[in-house]
Amino acid sequence: VQQVVGNKLGLLETFMSAAMSPLSVIAEMYRNSTEVKMSQIVLPCHANHRGELSVGQLLKWMDSTACLSAERHAGCSCITASVDDIHFEHTIGVGQVVNIKAKVNRAFNSSMEVGIMVSCEDLFANRQWKVCNAFATFVARHTDEGKVQLKQVMPQTQEEQTEYSVAAERRRMRLLHTEIMKDLLGNGCAVRDFDDAVPSERTRVESVELVLPPHANHQVNTFGGQIMAWMENVATIAASRLCNAHPTLRTIDMFHFRAPSQVGDRVVLKAIVNNAFKNSMEVGVCAEAYRGRETPRHINSAFMTFEVLDAEGNPRNLPRIKPEPLDGPRRYREAIARKKIRLDRKYIISCKQTEVPLSVPWEPSNQVYLSYNNVSALKMLAARTNWVLTSEKNKVNLYTLEENQVLCFKVETHVDIAAKRVFALLSDLTRRKEWDRHYKHCEMINQVDEEDAIYHVITPSVSKTNKGQDFILLASCRTPCNSGDPYLIALRSVTLPTHPPTEDYIRGEIFCAGFSILEVSSMVCKVSYYNQASPGVLPYISNDIAGLSSGFYNSFCSCSKFLEENKESRATADSTAF
């Protein structure tokens, strides 16, 4: 009996071990500690007249998911500060499933960026597709102990490292948004008058909502997602009044939460069509809150772009708008400026690399987005983990990376010089000819701001035509945002009408290149040079990649010597413009 019982117990242990092994594997799989997922099936009560998920309802779900992710990281209550621009690629129908995933990309002092990804799932067709993604900023609320100092996010995967690095650049772009608008409006644009234009006053909508307990979040404030949903509702009504049809929301320009509201407040929502273009219109919407006889306070604002689709799903032409006499012309011009910004972002940032030329026209209005693209491209290249060591010589390492028929390379070494000093020396491209034989001449064309400059670079001939190459380069330099971040010098080609190609040189192009300078100790740093090889660069590096020359090694030795000779020099002070 004991033997039979023992055998059965042994079989039971084996069975339990086999049954638990998949769970062990799952437990060992990495998952971001701040990641929060939500799945919702779209019911008729969530849908509009077309049987599609209401954008307002989707915004509620997105804000809830992002808030829970932020609070998981902060360990305390958090409030929505802003939501970046959202572009809705597809609509979602009744019966389909909405999958939302949110995680904290990076934490700053008391604020953090949360990335949100929304996809749609068709249960019957067994397929999924992306709907939109967004970046929301949340602020940790003060506790009894005072202001909250958030702990840093520790990225573990290549994707997390990329989002962590680029989050700092997105934050910089948010802070500069107001200045961009001022620059664009400074150029001015006339308000065009059309005989058949629709008066904008006809599209004005005003609606009031009483904040009840179901509208509040767990902090007793009005739920941010609820306010966004109310704003989307009045904006849709305003758009419908212009086109006399049911519009489709395509894009939302940043939601900016200026102040909270609570249960018992009256929230007044106002919307009006600011401008109408050929196939789209912009609706401005704001939210104000008051209680009793209080003066209404501005709590939120956003700008929404709508289209009207025909039976084939193509955008219809829209009637023109005639601004109201008082504030209308300002809103009309601002709508044109925001459209220009959206087009710049789509052209420079959102498109795939194969869909845009290497060189993008530079102008003051798109400088911020070109700079963002420049730095983020270098950060994403540096975050890659599948570099292959091609050669090593006296602690100078050459790595290559080839994906999607694109060749990238990285040269890396350590120098016994303070990272800040190395950054100051290498960020001045006019001195690069002192150590880089590929820089025959370098002239600064435009000092754009404290962190960006445009250079004209001439390189010697490497072709049978005996013509050298020249490049127009945007240099974007960044100091560390937090300890552990590197100094960055990002380079990319741009075009300038003042410096067109000439017969004397072959115009070359660089898509992504630059230096990453990481502090190892007070007097040691790691210097990494990256380049995504374009046709204009390949002739200079092909022998090194093939292992037939020591060009990279010699260049880095010359660079190290240049840094060593100038580490105590004050010819280029550490407090340079970069």
Side-chain angles (χ1 to χ4, degrees):
V1 173
Q2 289 177 347
Q3 184 177 0
V4 171
V5 172
N7 290 339
K8 288 185 177 181
L9 288 174
L11 288 171
L12 180 61
E13 290 176 359
T14 303
F15 172 76
M16 290 296 293
S17 176
M20 290 297 290
S21 57
L23 297 177
S24 301
V25 172
I26 293 173
E28 293 174 1
M29 291 174 61
Y30 169 74
R31 180 172 177 178
N32 189 301
S33 60
T34 68
E35 184 178 286
V36 174
K37 294 181 179 180
M38 176 187 287
S39 293
Q40 296 279 357
I41 190 164
V42 180
L43 302 174
C45 61
H46 303 139
N48 57 24
H49 59 282
R50 291 191 301 269
E52 298 168 350
L53 173 63
S54 162
V55 173
Q57 181 61 61
L58 178 59
L59 291 171
K60 288 184 186 181
W61 290 338
M62 290 170 65
D63 189 59
S64 295
T65 311
C67 183
L68 293 175
S69 174
E71 292 184 345
R72 178 176 287 184
H73 179 74
C76 63
S77 298
C78 296
I79 56 176
T80 313
S82 66
V83 180
D84 285 3
D85 304 351
I86 308 174
H87 176 71
F88 299 98
E89 299 179 17
H90 300 281
T91 57
I92 305 171
V94 171
Q96 294 176 333
V97 174
V98 180
N99 295 311
I100 305 173
K101 182 171 71 172
K103 60 185 178 67
V104 177
N105 291 331
R106 184 161 186 162
F108 300 96
N109 292 326
S110 59
S111 67
M112 69 202 93
E113 179 191 275
V114 180
I116 311 166
M117 175 64 74
V118 181
S119 62
C120 180
E121 180 181 359
D122 190 323
L123 298 174
F124 301 100
N126 193 27
R127 65 187 186 93
Q128 296 190 35
W129 58 92
K130 176 186 171 185
V131 174
C132 68
N133 68 316
F135 300 98
T137 301
F138 283 82
V139 177
R141 299 192 68 184
H142 290 202
T143 64
D144 295 338
E145 300 176 359
K147 188 175 181 179
V148 176
Q149 180 69 39
L150 295 173
K151 61 183 179 182
Q152 290 299 310
V153 172
M154 303 300 292
Q156 300 296 321
T157 66
Q158 178 180 308
E159 179 186 357
E160 290 178 1
Q161 180 61 53
T162 300
E163 293 295 347
Y164 176 87
S165 299
V166 179
E169 200 62 19
R170 281 192 290 262
R171 181 172 185 256
R172 176 179 179 272
M173 197 163 62
R174 291 182 199 110
L175 298 175
L176 291 173
H177 181 77
T178 303
E179 295 180 21
I180 300 169
M181 286 293 298
K182 288 180 180 178
D183 290 342
L184 286 173
L185 293 173
N187 298 329
C189 57
V191 177
R192 301 179 64 183
D193 192 11
F194 297 93
D195 294 335
D196 58 346
V198 176
S200 62
E201 191 63 29
R202 186 185 301 176
T203 69
R204 184 181 295 277
V205 180
E206 182 171 323
S207 179
V208 65
E209 298 282 355
L210 174 62
V211 182
L212 301 173
H215 302 140
N217 58 22
H218 52 296
Q219 304 161 30
V220 199
N221 289 327
T222 311
F223 177 40
Q226 179 63 69
I227 294 176
M228 290 190 285
W230 285 336
M231 293 172 70
E232 185 268 338
N233 178 62
V234 294
T236 301
I237 297 173
S240 300
R241 287 180 175 174
L242 175 67
C243 60
N244 297 322
H246 297 296
T248 298
L249 179 58
R250 285 300 185 204
T251 304
I252 300 176
D253 282 19
M254 182 185 294
F255 282 106
H256 183 67
F257 290 85
R258 302 173 183 273
S261 63
Q262 292 81 32
V263 172
D265 282 350
R266 281 71 172 166
V267 176
V268 179
L269 303 130
K270 301 176 181 179
I272 191 171
V273 176
N274 291 332
N275 204 336
F277 307 98
K278 182 178 180 181
N279 301 120
S280 65
M281 70 186 95
E282 182 196 272
V283 178
V285 56
C286 73
E288 299 175 340
Y290 71 95
R291 180 174 299 194
R293 297 183 178 180
E294 292 178 352
T295 302
R297 58 189 186 278
H298 187 186
I299 62 172
N300 203 338
S301 59
F303 302 93
M304 304 185 186
T305 302
F306 289 85
E307 293 177 348
V308 179
L309 306 180
D310 59 21
E312 286 74 35
N314 299 316
R316 281 172 36 187
N317 290 343
L318 298 175
R320 298 289 185 172
I321 199 79
K322 180 180 180 180
E324 60 178 351
L326 298 177
D327 208 26
R330 176 188 62 81
R331 293 199 303 269
Y332 183 95
R333 288 191 292 268
E334 287 181 352
I336 295 174
R338 278 186 290 271
K339 183 181 180 183
K340 173 70 167 61
I341 291 174
R342 284 193 296 272
L343 291 174
D344 285 341
R345 277 199 297 254
K346 182 178 180 181
Y347 183 68
I348 297 169
I349 299 172
S350 302
C351 293
K352 297 178 182 178
Q353 296 174 7
T354 55
E355 296 175 352
V356 295
L358 296 182
S359 293
V360 176
W362 180 90
E363 54 185 64
S365 64
N366 69 4
Q367 159 58 26
V368 171
Y369 305 107
L370 271 173
S371 179
Y372 166 83
N373 175 264
N374 195 13
V375 174
S376 60
L378 180 61
K379 287 184 173 183
M380 287 189 283
L381 187 58
R384 304 303 293 270
T385 57
N386 50 341
W387 293 95
V388 177
L389 179 62
T390 302
S391 65
E392 181 180 2
K393 185 176 181 181
N394 293 338
K395 298 182 180 180
V396 177
N397 298 337
L398 169 63
Y399 300 85
T400 57
L401 172 64
E402 186 174 2
E403 282 188 356
N404 300 323
Q405 298 180 338
V406 175
L407 175 65
C408 306
F409 65 88
K410 173 176 72 170
V411 189
E412 197 167 79
T413 192
H414 287 74
V415 294
D416 296 331
I417 306 170
K420 183 179 180 181
R421 184 61 184 154
V422 172
F423 174 71
L425 290 167
L426 295 183
S427 61
D428 184 1
L429 292 193
T430 60
R431 300 196 65 183
R432 186 161 167 175
K433 61 181 181 293
E434 297 180 33
W435 60 268
D436 190 346
R437 61 185 178 87
H438 295 132
Y439 270 55
K440 183 178 178 181
H441 175 76
C442 182
E443 172 192 7
M444 182 188 291
I445 301 172
N446 185 0
Q447 179 74 62
V448 179
D449 54 34
E450 294 183 352
E451 298 179 309
D452 296 85
I454 300 176
Y455 294 87
H456 182 211
V457 177
I458 298 175
T459 64
S461 172
V462 290
S463 65
K464 296 179 181 179
T465 62
N466 292 323
K467 283 187 177 181
Q469 282 192 303
D470 70 335
F471 300 80
I472 305 298
L473 299 181
L474 171 66
S476 304
C477 303
R478 300 289 187 271
T479 55
C481 183
N482 294 108
S483 60
D485 289 349
Y487 292 85
L488 292 173
I489 305 167
L491 305 171
R492 69 157 297 154
S493 288
V494 294
T495 59
L496 287 176
T498 56
H499 289 72
T502 65
E503 295 181 356
D504 298 330
Y505 301 101
I506 300 171
R507 178 57 54 89
E509 294 183 312
I510 292 175
F511 184 80
C512 175
F515 291 93
S516 171
I517 305 161
L518 181 64
E519 183 179 60
V520 177
S521 65
S522 59
M523 289 304 294
V524 178
C525 67
K526 181 173 71 174
V527 180
S528 304
Y529 175 75
Y530 298 87
N531 198 312
Q532 181 175 311
S534 62
V537 175
L538 279 173
Y540 298 97
I541 66 171
S542 57
N543 286 340
D544 293 273
I545 299 296
L548 302 178
S549 78
S550 301
F552 282 134
Y553 172 73
N554 294 333
S555 294
F556 254 60
C557 286
S558 298
C559 180
S560 299
K561 183 179 179 182
F562 165 77
L563 295 172
E564 184 66 32
E565 291 174 349
N566 291 275
K567 67 178 182 180
E568 302 297 338
S569 170
R570 293 302 162 194
T572 304
D574 286 347
S575 58
T576 59
F578 293 121

